[in-house]
Amino acid sequence: MNLQSAPPPLGQASDIESEPFQEPAADGYLLGGFTWRHASPDPQRPVVIINAATSVRCRHYSRFAAYLFANGFDVIIYDYRGIGESRPKSMRHLQASWTDWGALDFEAMLKRAQREFPGQPIDVVGHSFGGCAAGLGASGKIIRRLVTVGAQFAYWRDYAPEHRWRMFGKWHLLMPLVTLFCGYFPGKRLGWLEDTPAGVVRDWSTPAARYERRPSGRTMTDLPFANVSAKALAISISDDPYGTIPAIERLLAYFHNAQKTHLRIEPQDIGEQQVGHFAFFRSAYQATLWPIALTWLQTGELASDTPGRKIPRSQTL
């Protein structure tokens, strides 16, 4: 599909009503989120689950969800335990980790999609850690297509060299120290994303190059990434200090059985000076970046005039 002629959304997010929902994970924790659902069921219509970045509320993805809905998808967005719609009254004693977010919370959304949209294909969009979460659900084999954006699990040596030491000090020294004092990371008060459970902070800040060596990763006897055989598109942006080529490739290597494509985009490729780690899902990029994800979800392929370049497949982790 030509990117310049990609169909525009039929309405803005504010024009399209979503349904709030609550869904229990396997351990009983109640998760909150929103669904964009077409009036008539259609077994040919895919449903997309959007996995958020670490400590980013699902509402950040509402306009992108409405865009997908307007282009023929049913869509589910949700918050991981401890965040946004899934936040408890007190964060101090919340037991939650990255692995919980994937193996329990994302898995609950896969089960919900199967129940609420029986027979429909299930696709996933994962931002940052949300791409990692897509590989942690036991039911990952049901994912048809996967799009990740800046997806990695924060290994500090993979950060962009010009930002590496500042980011190491912020996320791997200061964040765990503040968390130790408060019992959770008070990100909202500091203006650093949402408040974050202590277990997630431990996973994020541990300087291990492999996910199974993160604190919660060590609790899993087998990592279920290999269950995912989807056609997977990993999008990375060259000015994203988290989503460097080594970082993206490090995560992609875990998806042994997926059909993987890594697309690297320079901001200049779409007429911009900067994009960074968080901006992809802002409506300003509806005409330039969103059609890339849309086309992949629709066809499992890149359009011939897609901006950016493909990164050759790495053979090692």
Side-chain angles (χ1 to χ4, degrees):
M1 182 176 68
N2 187 299
L3 293 182
Q4 301 303 316
S5 61
L10 303 178
Q12 297 300 319
S14 59
D15 300 329
I16 300 172
E17 291 188 7
S18 59
E19 309 166 3
F21 69 82
Q22 290 187 313
E23 179 75 21
D27 64 346
Y29 193 97
L30 204 59
L31 304 166
F34 302 91
T35 302
W36 281 258
R37 183 195 307 265
H38 287 83
S40 300
D42 183 350
Q44 301 303 312
R45 180 191 305 120
V47 54
V48 179
I49 301 169
I50 300 178
N51 287 347
T54 297
S55 302
V56 175
R57 297 187 67 165
C58 69
R59 291 175 182 267
H60 176 70
Y61 306 93
S62 292
R63 290 191 178 276
F64 182 71
Y67 170 83
L68 294 180
F69 175 83
N71 283 283
F73 294 83
D74 294 312
V75 187
I76 296 171
I77 65 174
Y78 70 103
D79 281 310
Y80 309 119
R81 60 188 65 200
I83 307 298
E85 308 300 316
S86 305
R87 181 190 171 110
K89 291 182 178 179
S90 173
M91 293 284 288
R92 286 184 178 274
H93 304 294
L94 176 64
Q95 300 298 311
S97 67
W98 265 349
T99 298
D100 292 331
W101 283 2
L104 293 174
D105 300 352
F106 171 59
E107 176 67 12
M109 295 304 120
L110 287 174
K111 298 292 189 185
R112 179 179 179 82
Q114 288 181 294
R115 185 184 72 246
E116 294 290 312
F117 302 94
Q120 294 182 216
I122 297 174
D123 298 335
V124 175
V125 173
H127 180 207
S128 194
F129 171 75
C132 185
L136 293 173
S139 301
K141 63 184 177 182
I142 68 174
I143 301 171
R144 182 190 65 155
R145 292 173 188 151
L146 170 65
V147 174
T148 68
V149 178
Q152 33 65 49
F153 52 89
Y155 178 49
W156 71 275
R157 289 184 183 274
D158 291 339
Y159 294 156
E162 64 271 26
H163 301 288
R164 183 175 298 150
W165 292 110
R166 178 185 61 81
M167 293 169 67
F168 183 87
K170 181 176 182 179
W171 300 120
H172 300 268
L173 295 177
L174 185 57
M175 181 171 65
L177 284 174
V178 173
T179 301
L180 185 64
F181 177 77
C182 297
Y184 68 100
F185 182 63
K188 291 187 74 171
R189 275 183 279 170
L190 296 173
W192 296 3
L193 308 178
E194 294 291 311
D195 296 345
T196 306
V200 171
V201 172
R202 285 193 292 272
D203 282 332
W204 185 343
S205 60
T206 297
R210 295 186 65 87
Y211 186 82
E212 61 268 32
R213 294 176 185 165
R214 300 296 170 104
S216 72
R218 292 195 293 265
T219 68
M220 304 189 79
T221 55
D222 293 300
L223 292 174
F225 290 92
N227 293 343
V228 179
S229 59
K231 296 197 72 172
L233 172 65
I235 299 171
S236 66
I237 310 295
S238 65
D239 69 333
D240 175 358
Y242 301 92
T244 61
I245 292 175
I248 303 301
E249 291 294 314
R250 186 176 301 279
L251 175 60
L252 276 180
Y254 279 92
F255 289 91
H256 301 296
N257 294 318
Q259 304 170 61
K260 298 171 284 191
T261 299
H262 180 179
L263 178 68
R264 186 76 169 171
I265 300 173
E266 304 273 346
Q268 293 77 13
D269 293 337
I270 58 169
E272 300 287 346
Q273 293 300 311
Q274 59 183 21
V275 177
H277 188 62
F278 294 102
F280 183 100
F281 295 96
R282 295 174 183 162
S283 55
Y285 297 99
Q286 177 177 308
T288 52
L289 293 177
W290 292 6
I292 301 171
L294 174 65
T295 300
W296 188 270
L297 294 172
Q298 289 174 328
T299 68
E301 304 291 342
L302 292 172
S304 59
D305 58 351
T306 300
R309 62 188 176 93
K310 291 183 181 180
I311 301 299
R313 291 266 35 83
S314 172
Q315 299 301 308
T316 60
L317 180 61

